[in-house]
Amino acid sequence: MRSFIFFDDTDSSLQIAKETINSTSIVNDTGSSHEEAEIMSSALTVNDTDSSHGESEIREIIVNNATSRSQEVVVFKESLAQNMKTNDSSNPPQFVNEKDISMVNNTNSSLPEATDASAGTKNSTVEPPLCTFMGRSDFCEIKGDIRIDGNSYTVFIVSSEIDILAAENTSWCIRPYARKGDQAAMGGVREWTVKLVAGASHILPQCTQNHSVPAILFSAGGYSGNHFHSFADIIVPLFLTSRPYNGDVQFLITNGLTAWISKFKTLMNALSRYQPISIDYRQDIHCYDSMTVGLIRRTSKELSIDPSNSPYSMKDFRKFLRSSYSLKRTTAIKIGNVSRKRPRLVIISRKRSRAFTNVGEIVSMAKRLGFRVVVAEPDADVSGFAKIINSCDVMMGVHGAGLTNMVFLPEKAVLVQVIPIGGTEWLSKTYFEEPAKDMNIRYLDYKIRVEESSLIHQYPADHVVLRDPSEIWKQGWSAVQSIYLSKQNVTLDVNRFRPTLVKALELLHQ
């Protein structure tokens, strides 16, 4: 059973609309259009595993960016190296201009396979691989006779013995996931070897499937079980890496869980016209003339694109999301004297931890201020929840992966992040405040007091957990996560919180 709660404009009582997977409900909202009622007819459950913020990741964020984030681009020079072009942030590659790219929104499950009729040995001109090492990702761009052995996690590049002898390197190891430096995340990413091999070598496998389009090999491991990291570490970098191909590219997925692939199927179909391949443990040998191993991520900022070293921006990415999920609203409501339409507020609901314990009070207060209010809990149906979020002008919730859904808000909407106790202000800023500003979303936050935390019922008033969270941080991330993120709920002081929603209304007047 899946459910959401909609609060009718004209009645202070709660109207609970429950929807089973095989039925459709009509929402009773006299202030909404029929279209909005359809949008609100479903809601799902988010996979918010905040334990994925690993200790190594925390140490990395604190490090001074001036030294730890400098992009080191290494070009592996083979023969004719003078003809190779470096791919660093100061000289970005020439991608196709966004305005020349048509949106590909093919959600048909029967996508074509990018194969040629024949198999066997490919005869292609081999170019030395260009491997780039950056702060957050490593990737190799390859052209020539390329053979993928998913059983040994090896990308073979057929080369001449002369080129191999002249090469500075003949193999490179790549973990194709864009969170390099986070040991906890990268520990869940399979390592692949990119290897130059002579055509006569006995270890060179023979092609069983030749493909006519380029390929991108990436991992859906790491922190992919967390909604935030799925976007920050995979979806945004995949957009940057694949968008220049305008759909003529095939995805090879390592660590590819069926649930993750199904969850983001719509976006992958919008970026590629071809069936993705789960490449691990395959006995067949897939061959290509061009491919990228790894994903491009040129910024250390979370859930962001730096337009100074990319042909794209977060504005382009959000335009892509709206096209892929058929989201209709590009701009939030502007409240004025002429329009009598009331702004819509969505409250992100949570069940396991960091839940609001007095949702009814919050809703009543918001309605008195003039909001139409929706309480919804997301889950794996990204498309359905995206439509709910896109129909709203203000989104509020306690710090957690559910706030990632701000990517679907219309521009100039307002995000209100409720920050629990525990010294997590820097996490809240890094993961949601800064990205919101890059998306042209207005940002507000509300830091709760100790009295608003459920931890006051679990620890004495003078306990270090309540008195000095910095002492808990000294014990490591596991201690912080287990107490402040896994055991804490929030009872908002609605009188104290009210000015925050008033400010949100003021922003919608601007």
Side-chain angles (χ1 to χ4, degrees):
M1 177 73 69
R2 305 184 301 192
S3 65
F4 66 90
I5 303 174
F6 186 88
F7 297 90
D8 192 288
D9 293 350
T10 60
D11 196 329
S12 60
S13 63
L14 308 186
Q15 301 220 358
I16 302 176
K18 295 186 177 180
E19 175 203 24
T20 61
I21 293 176
N22 297 318
S23 66
T24 302
S25 348
I26 298 177
V27 179
N28 181 13
D29 176 15
T30 59
S32 304
S33 64
H34 178 69
E35 175 184 323
E36 289 172 334
E38 291 180 350
I39 290 173
M40 302 312 304
S41 66
S42 65
L44 311 135
T45 302
V46 77
N47 184 5
D48 179 11
T49 54
D50 287 279
S51 59
S52 65
H53 298 307
E55 192 169 356
S56 58
E57 173 187 355
I58 292 170
R59 287 196 298 267
E60 182 183 10
I61 294 174
I62 297 174
V63 173
N64 189 317
N65 287 345
T67 56
S68 67
R69 294 300 187 194
S70 59
Q71 296 180 348
E72 177 189 3
V73 179
V74 182
V75 181
F76 296 103
K77 298 179 181 178
E78 317 296 347
S79 59
L80 302 177
Q82 66 271 20
N83 293 326
M84 298 172 62
K85 296 181 180 179
T86 60
N87 185 18
D88 62 15
S89 60
S90 62
N91 182 24
Q94 297 300 310
F95 293 123
V96 179
N97 193 297
E98 174 71 16
K99 67 181 181 181
D100 296 326
I101 298 177
S102 59
M103 291 289 183
V104 181
N105 189 15
N106 183 1
T107 57
N108 192 332
S109 59
S110 57
L111 295 174
E113 295 183 2
T115 57
D116 292 334
S118 61
T121 302
K122 296 174 67 69
N123 294 314
S124 302
T125 301
V126 177
E127 296 182 12
L130 178 62
C131 292
T132 305
F133 294 127
M134 307 179 76
R136 274 304 199 190
S137 68
D138 298 340
F139 56 93
C140 291
E141 297 170 297
I142 312 166
K143 293 185 182 295
D145 185 346
I146 306 163
R147 309 183 187 189
I148 317 298
D149 182 4
N151 202 37
S152 66
Y153 320 122
T154 306
V155 177
F156 294 98
I157 309 169
V158 181
S159 188
S160 69
E161 293 185 0
I162 294 176
D163 283 344
I164 292 174
L165 290 173
E168 296 178 7
N169 295 282
T170 59
S171 67
W172 302 265
C173 294
I174 299 289
R175 293 184 188 271
Y177 181 79
R179 200 165 196 84
K180 178 185 173 184
D182 186 327
Q183 296 179 6
M186 301 308 285
V189 178
R190 183 165 285 115
E191 184 177 83
W192 281 71
T193 300
V194 177
K195 189 178 184 65
L196 295 177
V197 179
S201 173
H202 68 283
I203 68 171
L204 184 66
Q206 297 302 304
C207 299
T208 59
Q209 293 193 50
N210 289 329
H211 297 267
S212 58
V213 297
I216 296 173
L217 190 156
F218 69 92
S219 172
Y223 294 151
S224 63
N226 177 281
H227 195 58
F228 174 86
H229 288 288
S230 284
F231 274 90
D233 303 345
I234 305 177
I235 299 300
V236 172
L238 183 62
F239 169 81
L240 291 176
T241 309
S242 64
R243 195 65 175 147
Y245 293 102
N246 195 22
D248 289 325
V249 65
Q250 186 164 42
F251 298 145
L252 309 180
I253 307 175
T254 184
N255 307 115
L257 297 177
T258 302
W260 189 92
I261 295 173
S262 176
K263 180 177 180 178
F264 293 105
K265 176 182 177 181
T266 298
L267 294 183
M268 287 193 290
N269 287 351
L271 290 170
S272 170
R273 295 187 178 94
Y274 303 94
Q275 288 279 12
I277 297 174
S278 292
I279 198 65
D280 296 342
Y281 309 115
R282 298 187 69 99
Q283 299 301 316
D284 48 353
I285 305 300
H286 291 261
C287 298
Y288 297 86
D289 293 328
S290 174
M291 77 174 299
T292 301
V293 180
L295 296 177
I296 298 172
R297 180 176 176 181
R298 298 184 180 278
T299 179
S300 61
K301 293 182 66 176
E302 298 290 353
L303 200 60
S304 183
I305 298 172
D306 182 356
S308 69
N309 59 26
S310 170
Y312 306 111
S313 65
M314 284 304 290
K315 184 179 181 70
D316 298 318
F317 177 69
R318 299 210 320 129
K319 180 179 178 182
F320 161 74
L321 291 180
R322 288 195 299 271
S323 172
S324 301
Y325 290 121
S326 301
L327 307 180
K328 297 182 178 181
R329 299 181 72 215
T330 59
T331 307
I333 187 174
K334 183 175 181 179
I335 303 173
N337 295 328
V338 178
S339 174
R340 301 185 63 181
K341 190 172 183 181
R342 303 170 73 185
R344 187 190 294 273
L345 165 69
V346 58
I347 300 174
I348 301 297
S349 175
R350 299 174 59 96
K351 290 181 179 177
R352 292 175 300 163
S353 65
R354 283 163 285 149
F356 291 120
T357 61
N358 60 333
V359 173
E361 288 184 74
I362 301 169
V363 169
S364 296
M365 181 268 291
K367 287 178 59 181
R368 288 194 297 270
L369 290 176
F371 285 103
R372 290 178 292 163
V373 184
V374 177
V375 179
E377 182 175 4
D379 78 5
D381 182 4
V382 181
S383 180
F385 201 72
K387 289 179 173 62
I388 293 174
I389 299 299
N390 185 252
S391 74
C392 295
D393 307 289
V394 179
M395 183 176 86
M396 65 169 283
V398 183
H399 171 80
L403 296 186
T404 310
N405 291 290
M406 67 180 175
V407 297
F408 305 120
L409 284 170
E411 292 196 13
K412 296 186 177 180
V414 182
L415 172 67
V416 180
Q417 178 174 203
V418 175
I419 303 175
I421 68 168
T424 58
E425 288 82 0
W426 67 273
L427 273 176
S428 300
K429 180 177 181 179
T430 300
Y431 284 87
F432 299 111
E433 178 181 352
E434 292 178 351
K437 293 175 180 178
D438 288 344
M439 298 179 206
N440 197 19
I441 294 172
R442 275 83 74 93
Y443 175 85
L444 299 171
D445 59 35
Y446 175 84
K447 299 178 178 66
I448 74 168
R449 297 183 302 185
V450 171
E451 292 79 11
E452 296 171 271
S453 170
S454 64
L455 293 177
I456 62 172
H457 304 299
Q458 303 175 46
Y459 297 93
D462 61 345
H463 196 281
V464 66
V465 165
L466 304 176
R467 178 172 44 83
D468 190 3
S470 65
E471 290 298 316
I472 305 302
W473 277 90
K474 293 177 183 178
Q475 299 176 26
W477 172 251
S478 295
V480 172
Q481 190 275 333
S482 65
I483 296 173
Y484 297 115
L485 298 182
S486 296
K487 295 180 180 178
Q488 181 174 196
N489 291 322
V490 173
T491 304
L492 278 187
D493 180 337
V494 292
N495 292 325
R496 182 171 178 262
F497 178 67
R498 184 179 184 278
T500 304
L501 286 188
V502 170
K503 179 62 177 177
L505 285 173
E506 292 174 357
L507 290 173
L508 292 176
H509 275 91
Q510 297 175 7

